[in-house]
Coordinates of all heavy atoms in Angstrom, one line a residue:
M1 N 101.6 41.1 -168.0 CA 102.0 39.7 -168.0 C 103.4 39.5 -167.8 O 104.2 40.4 -168.2 CB 101.6 39.0 -169.4 CG 100.2 38.9 -169.6 SD 99.9 37.9 -171.0 CE 98.1 38.0 -171.1
T2 N 103.8 38.4 -167.2 CA 105.2 38.2 -166.9 C 105.8 37.3 -167.9 O 105.2 36.6 -168.7 CB 105.4 37.5 -165.5 OG1 104.8 36.3 -165.5 CG2 104.8 38.4 -164.4
V3 N 107.2 37.2 -167.9 CA 107.9 36.3 -168.8 C 107.5 34.8 -168.6 O 107.4 34.0 -169.5 CB 109.4 36.5 -168.6 CG1 110.2 35.5 -169.5 CG2 109.8 37.9 -169.0
I4 N 107.2 34.5 -167.3 CA 106.8 33.1 -167.0 C 105.7 32.6 -167.8 O 105.7 31.5 -168.3 CB 106.5 32.9 -165.5 CG1 107.8 33.2 -164.7 CG2 106.1 31.5 -165.1 CD1 107.5 33.3 -163.2
F5 N 104.7 33.5 -168.1 CA 103.5 33.1 -168.9 C 104.0 32.5 -170.2 O 103.4 31.5 -170.7 CB 102.6 34.3 -169.1 CG 101.5 34.0 -170.0 CD1 100.4 33.4 -169.6 CD2 101.5 34.4 -171.3 CE1 99.3 33.1 -170.4 CE2 100.4 34.1 -172.2 CZ 99.4 33.5 -171.7
Y6 N 105.0 33.1 -170.9 CA 105.4 32.7 -172.2 C 106.1 31.4 -172.2 O 106.3 30.8 -173.3 CB 106.2 33.8 -172.9 CG 105.4 35.1 -173.1 CD1 105.6 36.2 -172.3 CD2 104.4 35.1 -174.0 CE1 104.8 37.3 -172.4 CE2 103.6 36.2 -174.2 CZ 103.8 37.3 -173.4 OH 103.1 38.4 -173.6
I7 N 106.6 31.0 -171.1 CA 107.4 29.7 -171.1 C 106.6 28.6 -170.4 O 107.1 27.5 -170.2 CB 108.7 29.9 -170.4 CG1 108.6 30.3 -168.9 CG2 109.6 30.9 -171.1 CD1 109.9 30.2 -168.2
N8 N 105.3 28.8 -170.2 CA 104.5 27.7 -169.7 C 104.5 26.5 -170.6 O 104.4 25.3 -170.0 CB 103.1 28.2 -169.4 CG 102.9 28.8 -168.0 OD1 103.8 28.8 -167.2 ND2 101.8 29.4 -167.8
I9 N 104.5 26.6 -171.9 CA 104.4 25.5 -172.8 C 105.7 24.6 -172.6 O 105.6 23.4 -172.4 CB 104.2 25.9 -174.2 CG1 102.7 26.4 -174.3 CG2 104.4 24.7 -175.2 CD1 102.4 27.1 -175.6
P10 N 106.9 25.2 -172.7 CA 108.1 24.3 -172.5 C 108.2 23.8 -171.1 O 108.7 22.7 -170.8 CB 109.3 25.2 -172.9 CG 108.8 26.6 -172.9 CD 107.3 26.5 -173.1
I11 N 107.7 24.6 -170.1 CA 107.7 24.0 -168.7 C 106.8 22.9 -168.6 O 107.1 21.8 -168.0 CB 107.3 25.1 -167.7 CG1 108.4 26.2 -167.6 CG2 106.9 24.5 -166.4 CD1 108.0 27.4 -166.7
A12 N 105.6 23.0 -169.2 CA 104.6 21.8 -169.2 C 105.2 20.6 -169.9 O 105.1 19.5 -169.4 CB 103.3 22.3 -169.8
R13 N 105.9 20.8 -171.0 CA 106.5 19.7 -171.7 C 107.6 19.0 -170.8 O 107.7 17.8 -170.7 CB 107.2 20.2 -173.0 CG 106.2 20.5 -174.0 CD 106.9 20.8 -175.3 NE 106.0 21.3 -176.3 CZ 106.2 22.4 -177.0 NH1 107.3 23.0 -177.0 NH2 105.2 22.8 -177.9
T14 N 108.4 19.8 -170.1 CA 109.4 19.2 -169.2 C 108.7 18.5 -168.1 O 109.1 17.3 -167.8 CB 110.3 20.4 -168.6 OG1 110.9 21.1 -169.7 CG2 111.3 19.8 -167.7
V15 N 107.7 19.0 -167.4 CA 107.0 18.3 -166.4 C 106.3 17.0 -166.9 O 106.4 16.0 -166.3 CB 106.0 19.3 -165.7 CG1 105.1 18.5 -164.8 CG2 106.7 20.4 -165.0
N16 N 105.7 17.1 -168.1 CA 105.0 16.0 -168.6 C 106.0 14.9 -169.0 O 105.5 13.7 -169.2 CB 104.2 16.4 -169.8 CG 103.0 17.3 -169.4 OD1 102.6 17.2 -168.3 ND2 102.5 18.0 -170.3
S17 N 107.2 15.2 -169.2 CA 108.2 14.1 -169.6 C 108.6 13.3 -168.4 O 109.2 12.2 -168.6 CB 109.4 14.7 -170.2 OG 110.2 15.4 -169.3
A18 N 108.3 13.7 -167.2 CA 108.6 12.9 -166.0 C 107.5 11.9 -165.7 O 106.4 12.1 -166.0 CB 108.7 13.9 -164.8
S19 N 107.9 10.8 -165.1 CA 106.9 9.7 -164.8 C 106.0 10.0 -163.6 O 104.8 9.8 -163.7 CB 107.6 8.4 -164.6 OG 108.5 8.4 -163.5
K20 N 106.5 10.6 -162.6 CA 105.6 11.0 -161.4 C 106.1 12.4 -160.9 O 106.7 12.6 -159.9 CB 105.8 10.0 -160.3 CG 105.3 8.6 -160.6 CD 105.4 7.7 -159.4 CE 104.9 6.3 -159.8 NZ 105.2 5.4 -158.7
P21 N 105.7 13.4 -161.7 CA 106.1 14.8 -161.3 C 105.3 15.5 -160.3 O 104.1 15.3 -160.1 CB 106.0 15.5 -162.7 CG 104.9 14.9 -163.4 CD 105.0 13.4 -162.9
L22 N 106.0 16.3 -159.5 CA 105.4 17.2 -158.5 C 105.9 18.6 -158.7 O 107.1 18.8 -158.9 CB 105.7 16.8 -157.1 CG 105.3 17.6 -156.0 CD1 103.7 17.7 -155.9 CD2 105.9 17.2 -154.7
I23 N 105.0 19.6 -158.8 CA 105.3 21.0 -158.9 C 105.0 21.6 -157.6 O 103.9 21.6 -157.1 CB 104.5 21.7 -160.0 CG1 104.7 21.0 -161.4 CG2 104.9 23.2 -160.1 CD1 103.8 21.5 -162.4
I24 N 106.0 22.2 -157.0 CA 105.8 22.9 -155.7 C 105.9 24.4 -155.9 O 106.9 24.9 -156.6 CB 106.9 22.5 -154.7 CG1 106.7 21.0 -154.4 CG2 106.7 23.3 -153.4 CD1 107.8 20.4 -153.5
T25 N 105.0 25.2 -155.4 CA 105.0 26.6 -155.5 C 104.5 27.2 -154.2 O 103.8 26.5 -153.4 CB 104.2 27.1 -156.6 OG1 104.4 28.5 -156.8 CG2 102.7 26.9 -156.5
E26 N 105.0 28.4 -153.9 CA 104.5 29.1 -152.7 C 103.1 29.6 -153.0 O 102.8 29.9 -154.1 CB 105.4 30.2 -152.3 CG 106.7 29.8 -151.8 CD 107.6 31.0 -151.5 OE1 107.4 31.5 -150.4 OE2 108.4 31.3 -152.3
F27 N 102.2 29.7 -152.0 CA 100.9 30.3 -152.2 C 101.1 31.8 -152.5 O 101.6 32.5 -151.7 CB 100.0 30.1 -151.0 CG 98.6 30.6 -151.3 CD1 97.8 29.9 -152.1 CD2 98.2 31.8 -150.8 CE1 96.5 30.3 -152.4 CE2 96.9 32.2 -151.1 CZ 96.0 31.5 -151.9
P28 N 100.8 32.2 -153.7 CA 101.1 33.6 -154.1 C 100.0 34.6 -153.6 O 99.1 34.9 -154.3 CB 101.1 33.5 -155.7 CG 100.2 32.4 -155.9 CD 100.3 31.4 -154.8
E29 N 100.1 35.0 -152.4 CA 99.1 35.8 -151.7 C 98.9 37.1 -152.5 O 97.7 37.6 -152.6 CB 99.5 36.1 -150.3 CG 99.5 34.9 -149.4 CD 100.0 35.2 -148.0 OE1 100.2 36.4 -147.7 OE2 100.2 34.3 -147.3
S30 N 99.9 37.7 -153.0 CA 99.7 39.0 -153.6 C 100.1 39.1 -155.1 O 100.0 40.1 -155.7 CB 100.5 40.1 -152.9 OG 101.9 39.7 -153.0
S31 N 100.4 37.9 -155.7 CA 100.9 38.0 -157.1 C 99.8 37.4 -158.0 O 99.6 36.2 -158.2 CB 102.1 37.1 -157.3 OG 102.5 37.1 -158.6
V32 N 99.0 38.3 -158.6 CA 98.0 37.9 -159.6 C 98.6 37.2 -160.8 O 98.1 36.2 -161.3 CB 97.1 39.1 -160.0 CG1 96.2 38.8 -161.1 CG2 96.4 39.7 -158.8
D33 N 99.8 37.7 -161.2 CA 100.5 37.1 -162.3 C 100.8 35.6 -162.1 O 100.6 34.7 -162.9 CB 101.8 37.8 -162.7 CG 101.5 39.2 -163.4 OD1 100.4 39.3 -163.9 OD2 102.4 40.0 -163.4
T34 N 101.4 35.3 -160.9 CA 101.7 33.9 -160.6 C 100.5 33.1 -160.5 O 100.5 31.9 -161.1 CB 102.5 33.9 -159.2 OG1 103.7 34.7 -159.3 CG2 102.9 32.5 -158.9
I35 N 99.4 33.6 -159.9 CA 98.2 32.7 -159.9 C 97.7 32.5 -161.3 O 97.3 31.3 -161.7 CB 97.1 33.5 -159.1 CG1 97.5 33.5 -157.6 CG2 95.7 32.8 -159.2 CD1 96.6 34.5 -156.8
G36 N 97.7 33.5 -162.2 CA 97.2 33.3 -163.5 C 98.1 32.3 -164.3 O 97.7 31.5 -165.1
N37 N 99.5 32.4 -164.1 CA 100.4 31.5 -164.7 C 100.2 30.1 -164.3 O 100.2 29.1 -165.1 CB 101.8 31.9 -164.5 CG 102.2 33.2 -165.2 OD1 101.7 33.5 -166.2 ND2 103.1 33.9 -164.6
L38 N 99.9 29.9 -163.0 CA 99.7 28.5 -162.5 C 98.4 27.9 -163.1 O 98.3 26.8 -163.4 CB 99.6 28.5 -161.0 CG 100.9 28.7 -160.2 CD1 100.7 29.0 -158.8 CD2 101.8 27.5 -160.5
L39 N 97.3 28.8 -163.1 CA 96.1 28.3 -163.7 C 96.2 27.9 -165.1 O 95.7 26.9 -165.6 CB 95.0 29.3 -163.5 CG 94.4 29.5 -162.1 CD1 93.5 30.7 -162.1 CD2 93.7 28.3 -161.6
G40 N 97.0 28.7 -165.9 CA 97.2 28.4 -167.3 C 98.0 27.2 -167.5 O 97.7 26.3 -168.3
M41 N 99.0 27.0 -166.7 CA 99.9 25.8 -166.8 C 99.2 24.6 -166.4 O 99.4 23.5 -166.9 CB 101.2 26.0 -166.0 CG 102.2 24.9 -166.4 SD 103.8 25.2 -165.6 CE 103.4 25.1 -163.9
S42 N 98.2 24.7 -165.4 CA 97.5 23.6 -164.9 C 96.7 22.9 -166.0 O 96.5 21.7 -165.9 CB 96.6 23.9 -163.7 OG 95.5 24.7 -164.2
H43 N 96.4 23.6 -167.0 CA 95.6 23.0 -168.2 C 96.5 22.4 -169.2 O 96.1 21.7 -170.1 CB 94.8 24.1 -168.8 CG 93.7 24.6 -168.0 ND1 92.5 23.9 -167.7 CD2 93.6 25.8 -167.2 CE1 91.8 24.6 -166.9 NE2 92.4 25.8 -166.6
Q44 N 97.8 22.6 -169.0 CA 98.8 22.1 -170.0 C 99.6 20.8 -169.5 O 100.2 20.2 -170.3 CB 99.8 23.2 -170.4 CG 99.2 24.3 -171.1 CD 100.1 25.5 -171.2 OE1 101.2 25.6 -170.6 NE2 99.8 26.4 -172.1
I45 N 99.5 20.6 -168.2 CA 100.2 19.5 -167.6 C 99.3 18.3 -167.6 O 98.1 18.4 -167.4 CB 100.8 19.8 -166.2 CG1 99.8 20.2 -165.2 CG2 101.9 20.8 -166.4 CD1 100.3 20.5 -163.8
D46 N 99.9 17.1 -167.7 CA 99.2 15.8 -167.7 C 98.6 15.5 -166.3 O 99.1 16.1 -165.3 CB 100.1 14.7 -168.1 CG 100.6 14.8 -169.5 OD1 99.9 15.5 -170.3 OD2 101.6 14.2 -169.9
A47 N 97.7 14.6 -166.2 CA 97.0 14.3 -165.0 C 97.9 13.7 -163.9 O 97.6 13.9 -162.7 CB 95.8 13.4 -165.3
Q48 N 99.0 13.0 -164.3 CA 99.9 12.4 -163.3 C 100.7 13.5 -162.6 O 101.2 13.2 -161.5 CB 100.8 11.4 -163.9 CG 102.1 11.9 -164.5 CD 102.0 12.2 -166.0 OE1 100.9 12.2 -166.6 NE2 103.1 12.5 -166.6
A49 N 100.8 14.7 -163.1 CA 101.5 15.8 -162.5 C 100.7 16.4 -161.4 O 99.5 16.6 -161.6 CB 101.9 16.8 -163.5
K50 N 101.2 16.5 -160.2 CA 100.5 17.1 -159.1 C 101.1 18.5 -158.8 O 102.3 18.7 -158.9 CB 100.6 16.2 -157.9 CG 100.1 14.8 -158.1 CD 98.6 14.8 -158.5 CE 98.1 13.5 -158.8 NZ 97.0 13.4 -159.6
L51 N 100.2 19.4 -158.4 CA 100.6 20.8 -158.1 C 100.4 20.9 -156.6 O 99.3 20.7 -156.1 CB 99.8 21.7 -158.9 CG 100.0 23.2 -158.6 CD1 101.5 23.6 -159.0 CD2 99.0 24.1 -159.4
L52 N 101.4 21.3 -155.9 CA 101.4 21.5 -154.4 C 101.7 22.9 -154.0 O 102.8 23.4 -154.3 CB 102.4 20.5 -153.8 CG 102.4 20.4 -152.3 CD1 101.1 19.9 -151.7 CD2 103.6 19.5 -151.9
L53 N 100.7 23.6 -153.5 CA 100.9 25.0 -153.0 C 101.3 24.9 -151.5 O 100.7 24.2 -150.7 CB 99.6 25.8 -153.1 CG 99.0 26.0 -154.5 CD1 97.7 26.6 -154.4 CD2 100.0 26.9 -155.3
R54 N 102.4 25.6 -151.2 CA 102.9 25.6 -149.9 C 103.0 27.0 -149.3 O 103.2 28.0 -150.0 CB 104.3 25.0 -149.9 CG 104.4 23.6 -150.1 CD 103.9 22.8 -149.0 NE 104.2 21.4 -149.1 CZ 103.6 20.5 -148.4 NH1 102.6 20.8 -147.5 NH2 103.9 19.2 -148.5
S55 N 102.9 27.1 -148.0 CA 103.2 28.3 -147.3 C 104.7 28.5 -147.3 O 105.4 27.5 -147.4 CB 102.6 28.4 -145.9 OG 103.3 27.5 -145.1
P56 N 105.2 29.7 -147.2 CA 106.6 29.9 -147.2 C 107.4 29.2 -146.1 O 108.6 29.0 -146.2 CB 106.8 31.4 -147.1 CG 105.5 32.0 -147.6 CD 104.5 31.0 -147.2
K57 N 106.7 28.8 -145.0 CA 107.4 28.2 -143.9 C 107.4 26.7 -143.9 O 108.1 26.0 -143.1 CB 106.8 28.7 -142.6 CG 107.0 30.1 -142.4 CD 106.4 30.6 -141.1 CE 106.6 32.1 -141.0 NZ 106.0 32.7 -139.9
N58 N 106.7 26.1 -144.9 CA 106.5 24.6 -144.9 C 107.4 24.1 -146.1 O 107.1 24.4 -147.2 CB 105.1 24.3 -145.1 CG 104.9 22.8 -145.0 OD1 105.8 22.0 -145.0 ND2 103.6 22.4 -144.8
V59 N 108.5 23.3 -145.8 CA 109.3 22.8 -146.8 C 109.3 21.3 -146.9 O 110.2 20.8 -147.6 CB 110.8 23.4 -146.6 CG1 110.8 24.9 -146.8 CG2 111.3 23.0 -145.3
E60 N 108.4 20.6 -146.3 CA 108.4 19.2 -146.4 C 107.9 18.8 -147.8 O 106.9 19.3 -148.3 CB 107.5 18.6 -145.3 CG 108.0 18.8 -143.9 CD 107.2 18.1 -142.9 OE1 106.6 17.0 -143.2 OE2 107.1 18.6 -141.8
I61 N 108.7 17.8 -148.4 CA 108.4 17.3 -149.7 C 107.9 15.9 -149.6 O 108.6 15.1 -149.1 CB 109.6 17.5 -150.6 CG1 110.0 18.9 -150.7 CG2 109.3 16.9 -152.0 CD1 111.3 19.2 -151.5
P62 N 106.8 15.5 -150.2 CA 106.3 14.2 -150.2 C 107.3 13.3 -150.9 O 107.9 13.7 -151.9 CB 105.0 14.2 -150.9 CG 104.6 15.6 -150.9 CD 105.8 16.4 -150.8
G63 N 107.4 12.0 -150.5 CA 108.4 11.1 -151.1 C 108.0 10.3 -152.3 O 108.8 9.5 -152.8
K64 N 106.8 10.3 -152.7 CA 106.3 9.4 -153.7 C 106.5 9.9 -155.2 O 106.0 9.3 -156.1 CB 104.9 9.0 -153.5 CG 103.9 10.2 -153.7 CD 102.5 9.8 -153.4 CE 101.5 11.0 -153.6 NZ 100.2 10.6 -153.5
F65 N 107.2 11.0 -155.4 CA 107.4 11.5 -156.7 C 108.8 11.3 -157.3 O 109.8 11.3 -156.5 CB 107.1 13.0 -156.7 CG 105.6 13.3 -156.3 CD1 105.3 13.6 -155.0 CD2 104.6 13.2 -157.3 CE1 104.0 13.8 -154.6 CE2 103.3 13.5 -156.9 CZ 103.0 13.8 -155.6
T66 N 108.9 11.1 -158.6 CA 110.2 10.8 -159.2 C 110.9 12.1 -159.5 O 112.1 12.2 -159.5 CB 110.1 10.0 -160.5 OG1 109.2 10.7 -161.4 CG2 109.5 8.6 -160.2
D67 N 110.2 13.2 -159.9 CA 110.8 14.4 -160.2 C 110.0 15.5 -159.5 O 108.8 15.6 -159.5 CB 110.7 14.7 -161.7 CG 111.5 13.7 -162.5 OD1 112.7 13.9 -162.7 OD2 110.9 12.7 -163.0
I68 N 110.7 16.5 -158.9 CA 110.2 17.6 -158.2 C 110.6 18.9 -158.8 O 111.8 19.1 -159.0 CB 110.6 17.5 -156.7 CG1 110.2 16.2 -156.1 CG2 110.0 18.7 -155.9 CD1 110.8 15.9 -154.8
F69 N 109.6 19.7 -159.2 CA 109.9 21.0 -159.8 C 109.4 22.1 -158.9 O 108.4 22.0 -158.3 CB 109.1 21.1 -161.1 CG 109.5 20.0 -162.1 CD1 108.8 18.8 -162.2 CD2 110.5 20.2 -163.0 CE1 109.1 17.8 -163.1 CE2 110.9 19.2 -163.9 CZ 110.2 18.0 -163.9
L70 N 110.2 23.1 -158.8 CA 109.9 24.3 -158.0 C 109.6 25.5 -158.9 O 110.3 25.8 -159.8 CB 111.1 24.7 -157.2 CG 111.8 23.6 -156.3 CD1 113.0 24.1 -155.6 CD2 110.8 23.0 -155.3
Y71 N 108.4 26.0 -158.7 CA 107.8 27.0 -159.6 C 107.7 28.3 -158.8 O 106.9 28.4 -157.9 CB 106.5 26.6 -160.1 CG 105.9 27.5 -161.2 CD1 106.2 27.3 -162.5 CD2 105.0 28.5 -160.8 CE1 105.7 28.2 -163.5 CE2 104.4 29.3 -161.8 CZ 104.8 29.1 -163.1 OH 104.2 29.9 -164.1
S72 N 108.4 29.4 -159.2 CA 108.3 30.7 -158.7 C 108.4 30.8 -157.1 O 107.5 31.2 -156.4 CB 106.9 31.3 -159.1 OG 106.9 32.6 -158.8
L73 N 109.5 30.2 -156.6 CA 109.7 30.2 -155.1 C 110.6 31.4 -154.7 O 111.5 31.8 -155.5 CB 110.3 28.9 -154.7 CG 109.5 27.6 -154.8 CD1 110.3 26.5 -154.2 CD2 108.2 27.8 -154.1
S74 N 110.5 31.8 -153.5 CA 111.4 32.8 -153.0 C 112.8 32.1 -152.8 O 112.9 30.9 -152.7 CB 110.9 33.4 -151.7 OG 110.9 32.3 -150.7
Q75 N 113.8 33.0 -152.8 CA 115.2 32.5 -152.6 C 115.3 31.8 -151.3 O 116.0 30.8 -151.1 CB 116.2 33.6 -152.8 CG 117.6 33.1 -152.7 CD 117.9 32.0 -153.8 OE1 117.6 32.2 -154.9 NE2 118.6 30.9 -153.4
E76 N 114.6 32.4 -150.3 CA 114.7 31.8 -148.9 C 114.1 30.4 -148.9 O 114.7 29.5 -148.3 CB 113.8 32.7 -148.0 CG 113.8 32.2 -146.5 CD 112.9 33.1 -145.6 OE1 112.5 34.2 -146.1 OE2 112.6 32.6 -144.6
L77 N 113.0 30.2 -149.5 CA 112.4 28.8 -149.5 C 113.3 27.9 -150.3 O 113.5 26.7 -149.9 CB 111.0 28.8 -150.0 CG 110.2 27.5 -149.9 CD1 110.2 27.1 -148.4 CD2 108.8 27.7 -150.3
K78 N 113.8 28.3 -151.4 CA 114.8 27.4 -152.2 C 116.0 27.0 -151.3 O 116.4 25.8 -151.4 CB 115.3 28.2 -153.5 CG 114.2 28.3 -154.6 CD 114.8 28.9 -155.8 CE 114.3 30.3 -156.0 NZ 114.8 31.0 -157.1
T79 N 116.5 28.0 -150.6 CA 117.7 27.7 -149.8 C 117.3 26.7 -148.7 O 118.0 25.7 -148.4 CB 118.2 29.0 -149.1 OG1 118.6 29.8 -150.2 CG2 119.4 28.7 -148.2
Q80 N 116.1 26.9 -148.0 CA 115.7 25.9 -147.0 C 115.5 24.5 -147.6 O 115.9 23.5 -146.9 CB 114.3 26.4 -146.4 CG 114.4 27.6 -145.5 CD 113.0 28.0 -145.0 OE1 112.1 27.2 -145.0 NE2 113.0 29.3 -144.6
I81 N 114.9 24.4 -148.7 CA 114.7 23.1 -149.4 C 116.0 22.4 -149.6 O 116.2 21.3 -149.4 CB 113.8 23.2 -150.6 CG1 112.4 23.6 -150.2 CG2 113.8 21.9 -151.4 CD1 111.5 23.9 -151.4
A82 N 116.9 23.2 -150.2 CA 118.2 22.6 -150.6 C 119.0 22.1 -149.3 O 119.5 21.0 -149.3 CB 119.1 23.6 -151.3
K83 N 119.0 22.9 -148.2 CA 119.7 22.6 -147.0 C 119.0 21.4 -146.3 O 119.7 20.5 -145.9 CB 119.8 23.8 -146.1 CG 120.8 24.8 -146.5 CD 120.8 25.9 -145.5 CE 121.8 27.0 -146.0 NZ 121.9 28.1 -145.0
R84 N 117.7 21.5 -146.1 CA 117.0 20.5 -145.3 C 116.9 19.2 -146.0 O 117.0 18.2 -145.3 CB 115.6 21.0 -145.0 CG 114.8 20.1 -144.1 CD 113.4 20.7 -143.9 NE 113.3 21.3 -142.6 CZ 112.2 21.7 -142.0 NH1 111.1 21.6 -142.7 NH2 112.2 22.2 -140.8
N85 N 116.8 19.1 -147.3 CA 116.6 17.9 -148.0 C 117.9 17.5 -148.8 O 117.9 16.4 -149.5 CB 115.5 18.0 -149.0 CG 114.2 18.3 -148.2 OD1 113.7 17.4 -147.6 ND2 113.7 19.5 -148.4
Q86 N 119.0 18.2 -148.7 CA 120.2 18.0 -149.4 C 120.0 17.8 -150.9 O 120.5 16.8 -151.5 CB 120.9 16.7 -148.8 CG 121.3 16.9 -147.4 CD 121.9 15.7 -146.7 OE1 121.9 14.6 -147.3 NE2 122.6 16.0 -145.7
Y87 N 119.2 18.7 -151.5 CA 119.0 18.7 -152.9 C 119.9 19.6 -153.6 O 120.3 20.6 -153.1 CB 117.6 19.1 -153.3 CG 116.5 18.1 -152.9 CD1 115.5 18.4 -152.0 CD2 116.4 16.9 -153.5 CE1 114.5 17.5 -151.6 CE2 115.5 16.0 -153.2 CZ 114.5 16.3 -152.3 OH 113.5 15.4 -152.0
K88 N 120.2 19.3 -154.9 CA 120.8 20.2 -155.8 C 119.7 20.9 -156.6 O 118.8 20.2 -157.0 CB 121.8 19.5 -156.8 CG 123.0 18.9 -156.0 CD 123.8 18.1 -157.0 CE 124.9 17.4 -156.2 NZ 125.6 16.4 -157.1
I89 N 119.7 22.2 -156.8 CA 118.6 22.8 -157.5 C 119.1 23.6 -158.7 O 119.5 24.8 -158.6 CB 117.9 23.8 -156.5 CG1 117.5 23.1 -155.3 CG2 116.7 24.4 -157.2 CD1 116.8 23.9 -154.2
P90 N 119.2 22.9 -159.9 CA 119.5 23.6 -161.1 C 118.4 24.4 -161.7 O 117.2 24.0 -161.5 CB 119.9 22.5 -162.1 CG 119.1 21.3 -161.6 CD 119.0 21.5 -160.1
T91 N 118.6 25.5 -162.4 CA 117.6 26.3 -163.0 C 117.2 25.7 -164.4 O 118.0 25.4 -165.2 CB 118.0 27.7 -163.2 OG1 118.4 28.3 -161.9 CG2 117.0 28.6 -163.9
I92 N 115.8 25.5 -164.5 CA 115.3 25.2 -165.8 C 114.2 26.2 -166.2 O 113.2 26.3 -165.5 CB 114.6 23.8 -165.8 CG1 115.5 22.7 -165.3 CG2 114.0 23.4 -167.1 CD1 114.9 21.4 -165.1
Y93 N 114.4 27.0 -167.1 CA 113.6 28.2 -167.4 C 113.5 29.1 -166.2 O 114.5 29.3 -165.5 CB 112.2 27.7 -167.9 CG 112.2 26.7 -169.0 CD1 111.9 25.4 -168.8 CD2 112.6 27.0 -170.3 CE1 111.9 24.4 -169.8 CE2 112.7 26.1 -171.3 CZ 112.4 24.8 -171.0 OH 112.4 23.9 -172.0
A94 N 112.3 29.6 -165.9 CA 112.1 30.3 -164.7 C 111.6 29.4 -163.6 O 111.3 29.8 -162.5 CB 111.1 31.5 -164.9
M95 N 111.7 28.1 -163.9 CA 111.2 27.1 -162.9 C 112.4 26.3 -162.5 O 113.4 26.2 -163.3 CB 110.2 26.2 -163.6 CG 109.6 25.2 -162.8 SD 108.2 24.5 -163.7 CE 108.7 22.8 -163.7
L96 N 112.4 25.7 -161.4 CA 113.5 24.9 -160.9 C 113.1 23.5 -160.7 O 112.1 23.1 -160.3 CB 114.1 25.5 -159.6 CG 114.5 27.0 -159.7 CD1 114.7 27.4 -158.2 CD2 115.7 27.2 -160.5
K97 N 114.1 22.6 -161.1 CA 113.9 21.1 -160.8 C 114.9 20.7 -159.8 O 116.1 21.1 -159.9 CB 114.1 20.3 -162.1 CG 114.0 18.8 -161.9 CD 114.2 18.1 -163.2 CE 114.2 16.6 -162.9 NZ 114.5 15.8 -164.1
I98 N 114.6 19.9 -158.8 CA 115.5 19.5 -157.8 C 115.9 18.0 -157.9 O 115.0 17.2 -158.3 CB 115.0 19.8 -156.4 CG1 113.7 19.1 -156.1 CG2 114.9 21.3 -156.2 CD1 113.2 19.4 -154.6
T99 N 117.1 17.7 -157.7 CA 117.6 16.3 -157.8 C 118.4 16.0 -156.6 O 119.0 16.9 -156.0 CB 118.4 16.1 -159.1 OG1 119.5 17.0 -159.1 CG2 117.5 16.3 -160.3
K100 N 118.6 14.8 -156.2 CA 119.5 14.4 -155.1 C 120.9 14.1 -155.7 O 121.1 13.7 -156.7 CB 119.0 13.1 -154.5 CG 117.9 13.4 -153.5 CD 117.9 12.4 -152.4 CE 116.9 12.9 -151.4 NZ 117.1 12.4 -150.1

């Protein structure tokens, strides 16, 4: 198990405190731990939170969410999101939240 598993509860609390949260993660093709962590966390987040799986080349972010969280992304994708969308990306746990 990874460290991320143990922090799913505080991550879920942070996501649930947002009014229209979106969690973006890359599709974990080879990471069983990441898939397991996402499944576990999906049971802890409220229904208004949406989970969006993206391929590593797709960085478009829908505009209808108030808070956007990045979960277990590669550094390359984080950099693309920050540059393309002019976001600041502070670290929250092993998950990231982006703000304008």
Side-chain angles (χ1 to χ4, degrees):
M1 289 189 184
T2 64
V3 176
I4 296 171
F5 175 80
Y6 297 106
I7 63 169
N8 275 351
I9 292 171
I11 289 173
R13 286 185 190 135
T14 300
V15 170
N16 291 338
S17 70
S19 59
K20 292 181 183 175
L22 173 67
I23 302 169
I24 298 175
T25 189
E26 289 177 82
F27 186 75
E29 295 175 8
S30 61
S31 175
V32 174
D33 286 340
T34 300
I35 292 169
N37 289 333
L38 287 169
L39 287 173
M41 191 173 63
S42 71
H43 294 285
Q44 298 170 344
I45 57 176
D46 294 339
Q48 86 269 5
K50 302 302 177 202
L51 181 60
L52 185 61
L53 295 173
R54 291 288 194 198
S55 70
K57 296 180 182 176
N58 189 343
V59 294
E60 290 186 36
I61 299 173
K64 64 180 182 174
F65 298 95
T66 58
D67 296 275
I68 301 166
F69 299 91
L70 307 179
Y71 186 87
S72 191
L73 293 184
S74 66
Q75 185 60 47
E76 179 183 346
L77 191 54
K78 286 183 249 181
T79 301
Q80 287 179 22
I81 289 172
K83 285 182 181 178
R84 186 181 255 191
N85 299 290
Q86 298 179 343
Y87 287 119
K88 295 176 187 171
I89 305 177
T91 300
I92 302 176
Y93 308 109
M95 182 170 126
L96 304 169
K97 177 182 176 185
I98 60 177
T99 58
K100 279 209 173 204

